[in-house]
Amino acid sequence: MSPGTGAALGMLAATVDAKAVAEIGTGTGVSGIHLLHGMRPDGVLTTVDPEPERQQFARTAFRAAGFAGNRARFIPGRALDVLPRLADGGYDLVFCDGDRTECLDYLAESLRLLRPGGLVCFEGVFADGRTVDSGPQPAEVLRLRELLRAVRESQDLVPSLLPVGDGLLCAVKR
């Protein structure tokens, strides 16, 4: 994640006064740290990743960044297995940085999870410039194009594509 993307995430979390954030794709914890910095001091980040080793690394990174253990809830597992168990309308922001071939499914789950006025963000939507390249593309790029179209055409969302890092697609739920 680029510093610009991280800064944007923190600012967006602060903008929605985020108390509850869901993150798809824990990674090494970089995005989670940015989100936590932008969230309310009593906010909780729920982060989902299929690899528990990554989550352990992120847990250590969160502590090193000064966040108390109760600020993050780590749920190991595949996002599409875990997300249906999370509360409808219980989240202020959903950040998606998981399997790009599942991005449309993440969008559907995000719309269910978000409160009105909540924000969904997708990292990496430029796919290193491949989403606008006219040549043949892999399935993940075709899915990202479908995601961009779905968000743009949705009557339930107010979208914006931020040109930070590898592209940050954001949309507010009406």
Side-chain angles (χ1 to χ4, degrees):
M1 168 167 296
S2 75
T5 302
L9 276 180
M11 183 270 305
L12 291 167
T15 299
V16 296
D17 196 28
K19 184 174 182 177
V21 173
E23 176 185 46
I24 300 168
T26 307
T28 60
V30 173
S31 56
I33 289 171
H34 287 289
L35 288 164
L36 285 164
H37 276 297
M39 293 170 66
R40 294 169 39 167
D42 61 341
V44 176
L45 172 70
T46 299
T47 184
V48 179
D49 199 286
E51 297 188 30
E53 307 82 36
R54 286 185 190 167
Q55 290 189 320
Q56 188 54 47
F57 190 89
R59 187 184 317 267
T60 301
F62 291 176
R63 273 196 308 269
F67 295 106
N70 65 349
R71 293 289 311 279
R73 177 171 66 146
F74 295 88
I75 304 176
R78 200 173 144 266
L80 295 178
D81 295 333
V82 173
L83 295 175
R85 300 190 319 246
L86 301 181
D88 292 4
Y91 292 85
D92 304 302
L93 190 151
V94 178
F95 174 62
C96 305
D97 190 17
D99 183 345
R100 289 183 177 149
T101 62
E102 297 178 341
C103 60
L104 287 169
D105 298 311
Y106 297 160
L107 176 61
E109 283 297 322
S110 296
L111 289 174
R112 182 186 62 74
L113 293 172
L114 286 171
R115 64 165 171 78
L119 187 63
V120 60
C121 300
F122 289 85
E123 200 278 328
V125 295
F126 292 160
D128 296 318
R130 294 178 296 163
T131 53
V132 295
D133 189 344
S134 62
Q137 296 297 330
E140 76 173 20
V141 173
L142 298 177
R143 293 294 279 188
L144 285 171
R145 287 178 182 168
E146 291 175 36
L147 171 69
L148 289 162
R149 188 176 310 107
V151 169
R152 182 182 68 237
E153 295 174 357
S154 173
Q155 298 301 307
D156 298 323
L157 297 169
V158 178
S160 182
L161 181 56
L162 304 181
V164 294
D166 197 22
L168 186 64
L169 175 63
C170 303
V172 175
K173 180 180 176 181
R174 292 185 190 269

